[in-house]
Amino acid sequence: GAVVSQHPSRVICKSGTSVKIECRSLDFQATTMFWYRQFPKQSLMLMATSNEGSKATYEQGVEKDKFLINHASLTLSTLTVTSAHPEDSSFYICSASDTDTQYFGPGTRLTVL
Amino acid sequence: AQKITQTQPGMFVQEKEAVTLDCTYDTSDPSYGLFWYKQPSSGEMIFLIYQGSYDQQNATEGRYSLNFQKARKSANLVISASQLGDSAMYFCAMREAFAGGTSYGKLTFGQGTILTVHP
């Protein structure tokens, strides 16, 4: 199956700093990538849909100025958590679609102190 | 309204036995896809099986099969011959309109079921 990588896998940062998470499709081109957030033992919540070359579409309740998404190429999307606060601590997962199936990255665990 | 419902927060099964994880869905879109993913404690989401709404046959992938009952809007996952490594969280998900729709093929997930396989 297709491979999606995510970097970093784990990050700890101080409150007020910004954190960038990268999502790459390694062996296919993905015109669409998705960013999810997951709290412990809960379901995945879609944050935004990222399309190459255009602005991301954010789900209701997600602050677009807080969670900046850039889809610069067909294999790379980035999520930047700006001015992170402890409540932003979560597991962030990206996925990339090659038409029928979404393939997920391994996730990034963000801890904001 | 909840589009994907998994009513079993936790399930237990004995090793080598079969187990069924329930999933019901709600949509008015005639074209949709149903997915099952496995999420072990490491957090990665592992794709297991896919069923299209127009598929006549139930999907099967190795020890995984999807019991698709369209009229009942259910898409239960059956795992045969359970193994200790099957212990994980399992998510059912639905994708509605893709091309031309506003959803861009996004997935809606159920609440998940934690499966524990006992030796």
Side-chain angles (χ1 to χ4, degrees):
Chain A
V3 179
V4 176
S5 70
Q6 231 177 294
H7 179 80
S9 58
R10 187 180 294 267
V11 58
I12 301 172
C13 69
K14 292 183 178 180
S15 185
T17 60
S18 294
V19 175
K20 180 185 282 189
I21 303 170
E22 291 187 349
C23 177
R24 293 182 185 271
S25 56
L26 297 185
D27 50 3
F28 67 101
Q29 293 185 330
T31 53
T32 304
M33 290 184 174
F34 302 87
W35 287 94
Y36 296 85
R37 182 174 182 176
Q38 185 182 30
F39 291 106
K41 298 199 185 304
Q42 293 189 23
S43 188
L44 278 73
M45 182 193 77
L46 179 67
M47 299 175 66
T49 303
S50 168
N51 291 292
E52 187 265 338
S54 63
K55 290 183 178 181
T57 302
Y58 290 81
E59 295 299 302
Q60 193 172 8
V62 178
E63 300 175 61
K64 60 181 181 182
D65 295 331
K66 172 80 172 172
F67 299 100
L68 300 179
I69 291 172
N70 184 283
H71 195 151
S73 74
L74 288 172
T75 60
L76 173 64
S77 176
T78 60
L79 167 68
T80 301
V81 183
T82 62
S83 187
H85 291 286
E87 57 266 29
D88 298 324
S89 298
S90 189
F91 191 60
Y92 292 88
I93 312 177
C94 73
S95 71
S97 178
D98 71 345
T99 61
D100 277 341
T101 303
Q102 280 192 32
Y103 299 96
F104 285 81
T108 297
R109 194 164 302 281
L110 170 64
T111 303
V112 184
L113 303 176
Chain B
Q2 189 72 39
K3 290 194 170 184
I4 292 280
T5 304
Q6 293 180 253
T7 57
Q8 306 154 316
M11 286 287 285
F12 296 89
V13 66
Q14 207 71 28
E15 194 178 9
K16 299 180 185 178
E17 292 185 350
V19 63
T20 298
L21 306 184
D22 295 341
C23 173
T24 57
Y25 60 92
D26 184 30
T27 180
S28 56
D29 192 336
S31 177
Y32 54 90
L34 296 159
F35 301 78
W36 277 92
Y37 288 88
K38 171 185 178 182
Q39 187 180 41
S41 57
S42 60
E44 60 182 315
M45 293 287 285
I46 301 169
F47 165 70
L48 296 178
I49 198 166
Y50 166 80
Q51 180 86 41
S53 58
Y54 293 120
D55 294 343
Q56 297 295 316
Q57 303 285 338
N58 284 348
T60 60
E61 288 287 349
R63 294 187 298 112
Y64 305 107
S65 60
L66 200 152
N67 184 1
F68 182 44
Q69 298 190 36
K70 196 170 182 177
R72 293 185 176 184
K73 294 188 175 178
S74 74
N76 299 339
L77 176 71
V78 180
I79 305 175
S80 63
S82 296
Q83 302 172 356
L84 295 178
D86 293 335
S87 293
M89 175 86 97
Y90 287 80
F91 289 101
C92 178
M94 178 173 65
R95 184 193 68 218
E96 294 173 283
F98 190 80
T102 59
S103 59
Y104 299 98
K106 67 182 181 183
L107 293 178
T108 303
F109 285 86
Q111 306 94 317
T113 297
I114 298 175
L115 176 66
T116 304
V117 181
H118 289 304

